[in-house]
């Protein structure tokens, strides 16, 4: 499998990776400039020349994967018999600079409830590079002409996100099909639906976060019902409610959506820490 096919396959499998490019070669090296390989947590595809050079690059790439690094890094290595590293000597006589580019897993968000606020949230999130799952029990709320999907004009017609529409009489059932790491926003038209979705989200392995729209009195009622259903304090602490940034006040749907979306994007970014932009090793 060549490096480009490997990246596509890993992205489809929602597996993070690092693309390693032999960006600059001075003197002799095992491969010419431009050679690439792809490093995932468990596999390596293609080669930049083997030996100490490749082993060092793989180790650095896997350290980046472990830390969730988002920014590319530069790594310069001297291929000399006077340079001994953990992976041995490589005496080609040249010097190479590698660029290591993380390919992060595309974030996934599921919005349950496509009423006024849900549609405005979808409008904002659709402009982000993520997988956006839109769920409602009411078919009319998900019609292509209302959303602007499937070639119809509308608020999501220019979406950057991958938009997935789920019309489900039992909305919480959709949680079984969303990717691991999905952030869930609950804002349906029916408090009974909201409660069922939150309950199932707490029982679904791999959900990254749960946000519930509503008042503190609503959450007090939900807490009691969820405790009766067997959820302990640690589970209940996973639910964020009310959602949105308090610094953005207002009750208009578009204002609430800005507040909720901004908070969610902060949460997504915080889940993938960023390390230094570049590093040189000799």
């Amino acid at each position: 499998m060549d490096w480009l096919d490997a990246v596509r396959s890993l992205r489809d499998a929602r597996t993070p990776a690092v693309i390693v490019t032999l960006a600059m070669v001075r003197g002799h090296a095992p491969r010419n400039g431009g050679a690439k390989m792809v490093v995932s947590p468990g596999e390596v595809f293609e080669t930049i020349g083997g030996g100490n050079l490749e082993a060092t690059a793989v180790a650095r790439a896997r350290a980046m994967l472990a830390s969730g690094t988002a920014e590319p890094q530069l790594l310069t290595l001297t291929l000399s018999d006077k340079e001994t590293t953990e992976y041995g000597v490589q005496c080609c006589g040249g010097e190479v600079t590698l660029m290591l580019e993380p390919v992060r897993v595309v974030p996934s968000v599921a919005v349950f409830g496509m009423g006024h606020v849900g549609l405005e949230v979808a409008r904002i999130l659709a402009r982000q590079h993520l997988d956006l799952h839109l769920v409602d029990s009411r078919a009319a709320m998900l019609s292509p002409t209302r959303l602007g999907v499937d070639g119809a004009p509308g608020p999501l017609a220019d979406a950057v996100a991958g938009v997935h529409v789920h019309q489900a009489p039992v909305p919480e059932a959709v949680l079984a099909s969303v990717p691991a790491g999905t952030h869930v926003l609950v804002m349906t038209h029916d408090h009974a639906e909201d409660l069922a979705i939150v309950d199932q989200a707490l029982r679904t392995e791999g959900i990254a976060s749960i946000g519930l729209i509503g008042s503190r009195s609503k959450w007090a009622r939900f807490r009691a019902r969820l405790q009766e259903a067997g959820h302990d304090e640690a589970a209940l602490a996973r639910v964020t409610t009310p959602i949105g940034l308090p610094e953005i006040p207002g009750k208009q749907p578009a204002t609430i959506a800005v507040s909720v979306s901004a908070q969610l994007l902060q949460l997504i970014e915080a889940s993938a820490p960023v390390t230094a932009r570049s590093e040189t090793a000799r």
Side-chain angles (χ1 to χ4, degrees), residues 154-170:
L156 309 186
D158 60 350
V160 173
V163 179
H164 311 273
V165 177
H166 307 265
Q167 194 273 315
V170 182

Side-chain angles (χ1 to χ4, degrees), residues 252-266:
Q252 290 295 322
T255 304
I256 296 171
V258 168
S259 176
V260 169
S261 300
Q263 184 184 53
L264 179 65
L265 292 173
Q266 285 182 341

Side-chain angles (χ1 to χ4, degrees), residues 20-40:
V20 182
T21 303
L22 202 55
M24 186 178 297
V25 176
R26 292 169 291 274
H28 296 285
R31 295 287 304 274
N32 293 329
K36 294 179 183 291
M37 72 177 180
V38 177
V39 181
S40 75

Side-chain angles (χ1 to χ4, degrees), residues 9 26 28 53 89 95 99 101 103 115 119 133 161 186 221 251 265 267 276:
S9 177
R26 292 169 291 274
H28 296 285
L53 167 65
V89 173
E95 182 180 84
M99 181 167 67
E101 301 174 90
V103 181
L119 182 60
H133 297 264
V186 184
R221 293 193 298 273
K251 294 187 177 181
L265 292 173
L267 183 61

Side-chain angles (χ1 to χ4, degrees), residues 188-222:
T188 80
H189 66 294
D190 185 339
H191 284 197
E193 280 193 8
D194 283 355
L195 180 60
I197 294 163
V198 171
D199 176 52
Q200 188 59 44
L202 289 172
R203 300 177 190 278
T204 302
E205 185 176 354
I207 296 299
S209 69
I210 306 166
L212 171 67
I213 200 168
S215 64
R216 289 179 172 81
S217 60
K218 174 183 176 179
W219 177 235
R221 293 193 298 273
F222 275 32

